[in-house]
Amino acid sequence: MFQAKAFAPFEKLASELMVHSSEGDDGSHDIAHVLRVFKNAMRIQALEGGDARVIAAAVLLHDCVAVEKNSPMRSKASVLAAEKASAVLAELDWDGDDIAAVAHAIVTHSFSANVPPETLEAKILQDADRLDAIGMIGAGRCFYIGGRMSSALYDPFDPSGSNRQLDDKRFVIDHFQTKLLKLADGFQTNAGRALAAERDQRLRDFLGAFMDEI
């Protein structure tokens, strides 16, 4: 059951916006993900500054349009989410500049979209979302998504991809090299980079243990 108090001090905003969040069945982009990203964002905002209300709204609506990872529309997901978020906020009589700020943050948070964030709020959302893609949570989400896509865990004859082309659609563990281990280098804020360094090391430790066991 949804509990707005988990999004303090933006309980009212959460109650207004979470009803517009995606209702898909993707457990890697569910309300638990939104709450984790919210906590990451508030932690970074406390150190870096920025408009906390804009950041909170962007977090609450950043995945309001669901597009599967293997969909050809995946790179458009953040643009579609920004368009929907803008309409939702306009209905709530938000100021035009604040709506634009939220929309920009949502568009640029996506790795697939590859649009650079230009505002502090957008940088914080991007960092907060990417923190959820590394560390132990990132590893768990990676395997969860692989299961949804019916991917194998790894290539039994060349797990590390030393003598083949990496293919993270076929093998879950390949996604560590194709994306996850690259994320820590792209964080936008000092606070985000510090948090990312810890989680990146956990991810590398996990991958080392995984390879050792197989």
Side-chain angles (χ1 to χ4, degrees):
M1 183 176 68
F2 174 68
Q3 296 183 24
K5 64 182 181 181
F7 293 90
F10 294 101
E11 298 95 331
K12 183 176 183 294
L13 188 62
S15 295
E16 292 173 334
L17 299 186
M18 282 306 294
V19 295
H20 300 284
S21 190
S22 171
E23 296 182 356
D25 65 348
D26 182 357
S28 66
H29 292 91
D30 57 4
I31 190 170
H33 166 68
V34 174
L35 182 55
R36 290 192 304 269
V37 175
F38 176 79
K39 290 178 178 178
N40 291 339
M42 292 300 102
R43 186 174 180 183
I44 295 171
Q45 188 274 337
L47 296 170
E48 300 284 344
D51 188 323
R53 178 171 172 262
V54 166
I55 294 167
V59 168
L60 291 162
L61 294 171
H62 79 282
D63 282 335
C64 65
V65 173
V67 181
E68 287 284 358
K69 287 286 188 183
N70 57 353
S71 168
M73 289 293 292
R74 181 62 192 172
S75 64
K76 305 295 184 185
S78 65
V79 173
L80 296 173
E83 291 174 353
K84 179 178 175 180
S86 297
V88 168
L89 295 176
E91 293 240 339
L92 294 172
D93 296 323
W94 271 51
D95 175 79
D97 288 343
D98 288 343
I99 292 175
V102 171
H104 173 69
I106 291 175
V107 168
T108 61
H109 91 274
S110 169
F111 185 87
S112 306
N114 194 29
V115 179
E118 297 178 357
T119 65
L120 178 56
E121 292 78 15
K123 291 175 181 180
I124 288 174
L125 175 60
Q126 187 182 100
D127 281 4
D129 188 60
R130 292 189 182 182
L131 280 173
D132 209 50
I134 57 179
M136 292 297 93
I137 289 291
R141 292 177 73 212
C142 180
F143 284 97
Y144 172 88
I145 293 168
R148 284 176 65 87
M149 295 172 60
S150 300
S151 304
L153 292 181
Y154 59 92
D155 181 342
F157 304 108
D158 187 3
S160 63
S162 301
N163 298 295
R164 62 174 174 82
Q165 186 171 355
L166 294 171
D167 185 350
D168 59 2
K169 290 183 174 61
R170 290 184 63 198
F171 307 114
V172 176
I173 208 66
D174 283 16
H175 195 60
F176 281 65
Q177 293 187 67
T178 60
K179 179 180 177 181
L180 302 188
L181 296 179
K182 299 176 181 178
L183 291 178
D185 291 334
F187 275 69
Q188 302 288 329
T189 66
N190 289 332
R193 278 189 288 274
L195 293 168
E198 292 180 19
R199 296 196 186 194
D200 179 69
Q201 188 57 56
R202 292 174 193 164
L203 199 62
R204 292 175 188 277
D205 291 343
F206 175 90
L207 180 61
F210 184 94
M211 289 298 183
D212 179 69
E213 290 190 11
I214 62 174

